């Protein structure tokens, strides 16, 4: 039966349909969430919550509800006509025959990389002695051998400066709670050193080696018994470990007096004479920097109010900072190697006419490589990397594809770099850039294309938001496709934390495009595509701008003739899942289908979870009256209205998610199912073996993507 009509049907009819799919019985009874009202009062406002009980993760009724929902969703998705063909095509696209490489590091004549081999469930850490010889790679750490089930993943790795040892954080089931181990690179032998709780989904984790590879600095969270259980994912500190010593003897180096939600990154120079610690106050974008001298003394380099948002430590001990003190787009400062104070900094790269892109957790926006500085700048979604010498003289840009992203700029020690370039239609390619000649050469590490996409094109268009702001929309479409409003269209976006949505090659996207689909991505406010002002205009009490921008992008696709509401779907995850929730409740008639991954929906209780506390600088807190009013005004869970014909919804969550509590999805699904007056399904899938998406096995990624396309094809009426 094609679920396309928006006509109202009794809620009982929807429940009956799902119960039948779930095979009734005890599982069927658990499928319907019982209302158990709780009333809270915020600043004089009473707020009713019918499904608070679903927040109790240890309650057997909650497990039964999640299991029944998954069974019902599984039955619906498995019955999609042509599902076998969808699954086969997605698997073909997402399981390449050749190995792919990411997270590269060149250390002491050895290239380290995370390699995903054909058929592997998780990427493995490999090492090769030449830059362009993947055939010579030897495996150092393989999670697939450590855990054949594929639930163990490498969170991060850091080689010693002599490339003799490598520190690796491993976590299980998508939890991101990582323990550190040490391996010999040449033999792949694991040493006896084991340090628990160096990484988590709240503040991440970091490691830096000393000069001789005899010890390392590492981040650590409290261990059970050191603090109450509800504090174990806060209070990150920095410790030093001597190789071969008992970790119980490790000394605390930094952390006392830092905020409860401190997030620490550490780096060191090859001679071991200087260590740099970058500390962010939660997800605030406010940073504090410390430097450690050879005598073990830590000094404040820059404070929370100095508006330095990124720091890079050069091999000679000098420190380069991206500062927004004088300009919102940022400029580059250099602090001499002998200095411990920002007062000695001088500007080496003044504003360049585009915002400097920084990301505390991912690829750096400023890379120091020999006598060159590589600076990534944003251009409204697509980006570029500008090249300067260390005195700030410009040397052009890294050659790159149009409408593309450049990332993973890997120093080779002499000013040359490896870098990765990808676009919506071109898979990631690895290039070696010669700083002296300005030439690039593609390496054998490039990812082969799984399918020929030459029949498609990428265009950049503009939507106009509610307040008149112009919002970029990138559209991937078949060449020569008519604008008759008939195309099934999938729109995505994010809009948060100052993170820019850059062009990215999605290996599975051909399964959508080759069935006549259009793909679109909106660079909405809340991101960093136009600098910090773009971010701040979509954060805290201005968050509604994010939703207005995305709705404007959807309307643009309709008005431009790409699609119409009954053929339009939207997809987002995490903060983008919040975006999906807002679209469901604010514009239920604008879309036929919504896919929401690990989303946030109850904005009044988000901050009570560990990672939610880190997110307060981005979203705000209910403790502040003005911020409460803004949160309550858009909180999706609180704006579901009984009797509304909601679109078809597929929500996906993971039991081990350390960033967004699974109960967010459970509560939202229960509320929507009780309220909707539409025959369109509200489906909820809960994975027992994954979390927020980090560390999910390749097999599970393929299965999840198959479910997404099966859902979209059926609800939008997409044929073979």
């Amino acid at each position: 039966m094609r679920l396309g009509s928006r006509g109202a049907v009794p809620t009982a009819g929807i429940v009956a349909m799902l119960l039948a799919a779930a095979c009734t019985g005890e599982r069927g009874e658990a499928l319907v969430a019982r209302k158990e009202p709780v009333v809270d009062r915020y600043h004089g406002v009473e707020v009713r919550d019918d499904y608070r009980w679903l927040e109790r993760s240890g309650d057997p009724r909650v497990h039964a509800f999640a299991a029944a929902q998954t069974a019902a969703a599984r039955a619906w998705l498995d019955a999609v006509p042509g599902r076998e063909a969808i699954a086969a095509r997605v698997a073909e696209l997402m399981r390449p025959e050749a190995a792919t490489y990411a997270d590269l590091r060149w250390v002491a004549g050895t290239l380290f990389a995370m390699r995903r081999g054909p058929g592997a469930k998780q990427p493995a850490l490999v090492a090769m002695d030449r830059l362009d010889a993947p055939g010579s790679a030897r495996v150092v750490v393989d999670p697939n051998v450590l855990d054949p089930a594929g639930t163990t993943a490498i969170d991060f790795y850091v080689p010693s400066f002599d490339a003799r040892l490598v520190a690796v954080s491993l976590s299980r089931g998508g939890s991101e709670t990582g323990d550190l181990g040490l391996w010999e690179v040449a033999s792949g032998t694991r040493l006896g050193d084991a340090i628990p709780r160096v990484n988590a989904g709240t503040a991440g984790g970091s490691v830096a080696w000393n000069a001789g590879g005899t010890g390392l600095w590492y981040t650590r969270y409290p261990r059970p018994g050191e603090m109450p259980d509800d504090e174990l994912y806060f209070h990150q500190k920095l410790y030093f470990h001597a190789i071969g010593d008992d970790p119980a003897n490790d000394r605390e180096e930094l952390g006392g007096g830092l905020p409860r939600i401190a997030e620490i990154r550490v780096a060191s120079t090859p001679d071991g004479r200087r260590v740099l610690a970058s500390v962010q106050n939660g997800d605030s974008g406010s940073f504090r920097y410390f430097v450690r001298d050879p005598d073990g003394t830590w000094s404040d380099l820059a404070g929370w109010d100095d508006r330095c948002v990124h720091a890079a430590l050069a091999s000679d001990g000098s420190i380069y900072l991206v500062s927004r003190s004088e300009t919102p787009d940022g400029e580059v400062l250099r602090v001499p190697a002998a200095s411990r104070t920002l007062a000695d900094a001088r500007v080496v790269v003044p504003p360049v006419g585009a915002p400097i892109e920084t990301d505390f957790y991912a690829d750096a926006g400023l890379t120091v490589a020999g006598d060159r500085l590589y600076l990534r700048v944003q251009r409204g979604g697509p980006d570029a990397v500008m090249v300067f010498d260390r005195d700030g003289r410009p040397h052009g840009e890294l050659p790159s594809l149009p409408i593309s992203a450049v990332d993973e700029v890997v120093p080779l020690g002499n000013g040359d770099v490896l870098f990765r370039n990808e676009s919506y239609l071109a898979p990631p390619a690895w290039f070696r850039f010669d700083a002296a000649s300005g030439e690039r050469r593609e390496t054998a590490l490039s990812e082969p294309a799984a399918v020929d996409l030459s029949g498609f094109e990428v265009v950049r268009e503009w939507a106009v938001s509610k307040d008149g702001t112009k919002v970029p929309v990138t559209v991937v479409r078949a060449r020569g496709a008519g604008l008759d409003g008939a195309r099934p269209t999938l729109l995505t976006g994010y809009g948060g934390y100052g993170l820019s949505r850059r062009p990215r090659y999605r290996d599975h996207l051909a399964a959508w495009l080759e069935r006549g689909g259009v793909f679109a991505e909106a660079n909405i406010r809340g991101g960093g595509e136009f600098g910090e002002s773009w971010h701040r205009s979509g954060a805290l009490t201005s968050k509604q701008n994010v939703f207005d921008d995305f709705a404007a992008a959807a309307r643009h696709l309709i008005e431009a003739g790409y699609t119409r509401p009954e053929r339009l779907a939207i997809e987002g995850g995490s903060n983008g899942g919040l975006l999906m929730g807002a679209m469901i409740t604010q514009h239920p008639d604008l879309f036929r289908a919504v896919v929401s991954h690990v989303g946030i929906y109850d904005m009044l209780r988000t901050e009570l979870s560990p990672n939610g506390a880190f997110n307060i600088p981005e979203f705000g807190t209910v403790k502040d009256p003005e911020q409460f009013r803004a949160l309550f005004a858009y909180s999706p869970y609180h704006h579901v209205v009984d009797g509304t014909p909601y679109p078809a919804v597929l929500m996906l969550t993971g039991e081990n998610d350390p960033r967004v509590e699974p109960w967010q999805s459970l509560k939202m699904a229960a509320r929507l199912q009780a309220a909707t007056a539409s025959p369109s399904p509200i489906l909820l899938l809960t994975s027992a073996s994954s979390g927020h998406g980090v560390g999910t096995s390749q097999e599970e990624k393929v299965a999840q993507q198959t479910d997404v396309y099966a859902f979209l094809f059926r609800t939008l009426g997409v044929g073979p």
Side-chain angles (χ1 to χ4, degrees), residues 294-423:
D295 63 2
T297 302
W298 287 92
S299 303
D300 271 288
L301 176 69
W304 306 118
D305 297 328
D306 288 321
R307 302 198 66 194
C308 294
V309 296
H310 179 74
L313 182 62
S315 59
D316 65 359
S318 58
I319 298 171
Y320 290 81
L321 297 158
V322 176
S323 170
R324 292 185 182 143
S325 177
E326 301 298 325
T327 170
D329 286 347
E331 59 186 357
V332 180
L333 313 178
R334 181 172 62 202
V335 178
S339 174
R340 301 183 185 90
T341 173
L342 191 62
D344 294 330
R346 72 174 184 88
V347 176
V348 290
V349 180
V352 296
I356 299 172
E357 190 171 8
T358 62
D359 186 340
F360 188 60
Y361 288 105
D363 186 39
L366 169 63
T367 301
V368 183
D371 61 353
R372 291 289 189 267
L373 303 177
Y374 292 86
L375 197 64
R376 193 170 69 208
V377 297
Q378 253 300 316
R379 290 175 176 164
D383 59 18
V385 173
M386 306 176 74
V387 186
F388 301 85
D389 62 31
R390 288 177 62 171
D391 290 322
R393 288 184 289 269
H395 290 268
E397 296 184 0
L398 292 182
S400 60
L401 295 168
I403 313 180
S404 70
V406 181
D407 55 16
E408 287 208 43
V409 178
V410 182
L412 299 179
N414 58 352
D416 296 355
V417 293
L418 289 174
F419 72 94
R420 189 172 71 170
N421 187 206
E422 64 181 307
S423 72

Side-chain angles (χ1 to χ4, degrees), residues 119-170:
K121 296 177 180 178
Q122 294 285 353
L125 174 62
V126 301
M128 57 193 87
D129 296 327
R130 287 180 290 161
L131 289 172
D132 202 12
S136 68
R138 60 187 183 277
V139 176
V140 181
V141 181
D142 189 351
N144 302 288
V145 174
L146 299 175
D147 176 12
T151 62
T152 297
I154 294 177
D155 305 308
F156 66 86
Y157 74 91
V158 183
S160 60
F161 288 112
D162 58 6
R164 183 176 58 89
L165 300 174
V166 62
V168 180
S169 174
L170 294 165

Side-chain angles (χ1 to χ4, degrees), residues 526-539:
E529 290 86 347
F530 296 102
E532 184 60 9
S533 61
W534 192 253
H535 168 217
R536 287 299 164 193
S537 62

Side-chain angles (χ1 to χ4, degrees), residues 19-54:
L19 285 174
C23 303
T24 66
E26 291 184 4
R27 180 175 291 170
E29 293 174 4
L31 184 65
V32 182
R34 188 170 61 198
K35 294 182 180 181
E36 297 180 7
V38 175
V39 176
D40 296 308
R41 180 178 289 272
Y42 302 91
H43 308 289
V45 178
E46 288 191 351
V47 180
R48 173 172 164 152
D49 184 351
D50 285 336
Y51 301 105
R52 178 74 54 81
W53 65 273
L54 285 171

